[in-house]
Amino acid sequence: MQNLGVAITGSGSAVPATSLHNQTLSELVETSDEWIATRTGIRQRRLALPSESLSVLATAASSQAIAASGIKAEDLDLILLATSTPDDLFGSACQVQAKLGATNAVAFDLTAACSGFVFGLVTAAQYIRTGVYKNVLLIGADILSRWVDWEDRRTCVLFGDGAGAVVLQADKSDRLLGFALKSDGTQNHHLNLAYAGASQELLPDVNITKGTYQPITMNGKEVYRFAVQKVPEIIDKALFQANISVEQIDWLILHQANQRIIDAVAQRLNIPEHKVISNLAQYGNTSAASIPLALDEAVRQGKIKPNDIVATSGFGAGLTWGAAIFQWGR
């Protein structure tokens, strides 16, 4: 079967309506707008209400991406949902498939935390390049507010909820120019949303575990150190594979975790500030949603234009990190 190229032809995004500003957050925990903003760059974040679900946010972002790409939901062959916070532990991609009416698409979840969108992009591309599928919907969506300890000021100031999506299509020219992915499980303990089980006696001599999860825990210093060292390296690897220089990059879109990380990575790569896309101040860290959310906003604002070269990198729990270099549009 003939190998085909990949083009990213449409984007969409969706966030909950409810905002939580730093000032309001300081009523919950001992912190301040100045403290949060200077250390993270975050001013506010969006929070999903109990009535809102991940699949509804993901569907809204997906509908925009499908419309922007000029196809219909029935044209989709595959739906990949990158998330760590599904509505259902068995996965939420099939719920999105049903809500979209994408009757011809196979759907499944992919979990790589904040690297999820980049890992999903590379996964989707393989299905297209091998000629198996022509139209793939990739969604990054997370509702981390469900899993935050709102009394832990080290983590509760960071996270927000949202969804972003792109459509990838088979194309004559290959617009995914290069990528590189990495994992290091020895560093797993630095960032967790860990299983928490309570022992339950089922029968004499038979104990089982009743399952739930702990809130997010993070060693901020170690995660910062990891990101600032590893992300420039992985972008360099992806650029090498793409056979392009850092000067040829039009836009840098990093996972929106912390403005200090974004600035440090851009400086190490010698990428000027005007090429760096950041919307962290408005949304906080939305995990797998952060890159497609920032991408979609920049496309809709007319910043990112067809044929622009975009370098992107996700990094987070696992620990996992990856980079992808692509040209926007057909």
Side-chain angles (χ1 to χ4, degrees):
M1 210 175 262
Q2 169 199 3
N3 277 353
L4 295 164
V6 181
I8 304 170
T9 58
S11 64
S13 59
V15 290
T18 307
S19 287
L20 180 64
H21 292 261
N22 289 348
Q23 207 60 55
T24 319
L25 195 54
S26 67
E27 296 166 25
L28 277 178
V29 287
E30 194 187 326
T31 189
S32 68
D33 178 47
E34 189 204 11
W35 191 92
I36 298 167
T38 52
R39 283 161 181 78
T40 69
I42 299 164
R43 293 280 179 186
Q44 60 176 319
R45 69 285 297 143
R46 299 294 182 94
L47 302 183
L49 300 174
S51 59
E52 294 176 292
S53 69
L54 183 96
S55 54
V56 164
L57 274 180
T59 302
S62 299
S63 296
Q64 289 182 10
I66 293 163
S69 69
I71 62 169
K72 297 186 182 73
E74 308 87 87
D75 299 324
L76 292 171
D77 303 305
L78 171 66
I79 296 170
L80 286 178
L81 172 60
T83 187
S84 306
T85 57
D87 296 324
D88 179 334
L89 196 55
F90 290 148
S92 290
C94 293
Q95 290 168 280
V96 177
Q97 182 239 14
K99 287 180 193 299
L100 288 170
T103 46
N104 298 309
V106 62
F108 64 90
D109 287 30
L110 181 151
T111 303
C114 302
S115 304
F117 181 78
V118 172
F119 278 44
L121 194 67
V122 173
T123 303
Q126 306 319 305
Y127 283 101
I128 293 172
R129 283 175 170 172
T130 52
V132 177
Y133 297 136
K134 285 192 169 66
N135 300 311
V136 180
L137 172 67
L138 168 64
I139 310 155
D142 272 303
I143 298 182
L144 285 169
S145 63
R146 290 173 175 171
W147 300 104
V148 165
D149 176 357
W150 289 98
E151 292 175 357
D152 178 6
R153 68 171 185 171
R154 292 166 304 174
T155 55
C156 77
V157 302
L158 299 173
F159 298 105
D161 305 335
V166 295
V167 170
L168 295 93
Q169 293 185 270
D171 199 73
K172 287 189 205 73
S173 64
D174 202 344
R175 320 280 279 179
L176 178 60
L177 307 175
F179 67 84
L181 306 174
K182 295 281 280 185
S183 301
D184 181 4
T186 66
Q187 305 296 308
N188 177 267
H189 55 285
H190 292 315
L191 181 51
N192 297 111
L193 204 171
Y195 174 74
S199 183
Q200 183 182 345
E201 189 176 33
L202 198 61
L203 295 162
D205 304 325
V206 181
N207 283 327
I208 57 143
T209 313
K210 185 127 176 79
T212 181
Y213 288 87
Q214 293 170 357
I216 293 167
T217 59
M218 182 169 82
N219 182 332
K221 279 188 179 144
E222 286 304 319
V223 173
Y224 177 89
R225 191 179 298 166
F226 144 75
V228 169
Q229 183 195 345
K230 297 296 186 185
V231 173
E233 285 176 11
I234 201 92
I235 291 172
D236 271 337
K237 279 185 179 163
L239 285 168
F240 180 78
Q241 200 201 31
N243 195 26
I244 63 171
S245 69
V246 76
E247 291 77 28
Q248 289 171 277
I249 294 171
D250 294 303
W251 303 102
L252 176 69
I253 308 180
L254 299 180
H255 164 50
Q256 308 285 297
N258 184 312
Q259 193 60 43
R260 285 179 165 183
I261 293 174
I262 294 170
D263 294 343
V265 171
Q267 281 164 9
R268 288 204 178 185
L269 290 166
N270 288 318
I271 294 173
E273 202 179 318
H274 69 267
K275 289 185 174 184
V276 180
I277 288 170
S278 172
N279 63 0
L280 177 75
Q282 286 78 48
Y283 303 111
N285 178 344
T286 57
S287 192
S290 80
I291 292 170
L293 188 56
L295 172 72
D296 180 56
E297 278 201 345
V299 167
R300 288 175 192 274
Q301 287 164 0
K303 281 184 177 176
I304 296 179
K305 297 181 171 64
N307 299 319
D308 279 2
I309 293 175
V310 180
T312 187
S313 178
F315 47 91
L319 294 177
T320 56
W321 64 108
I325 317 294
F326 62 86
Q327 263 184 301
W328 175 251
R330 277 193 176 82

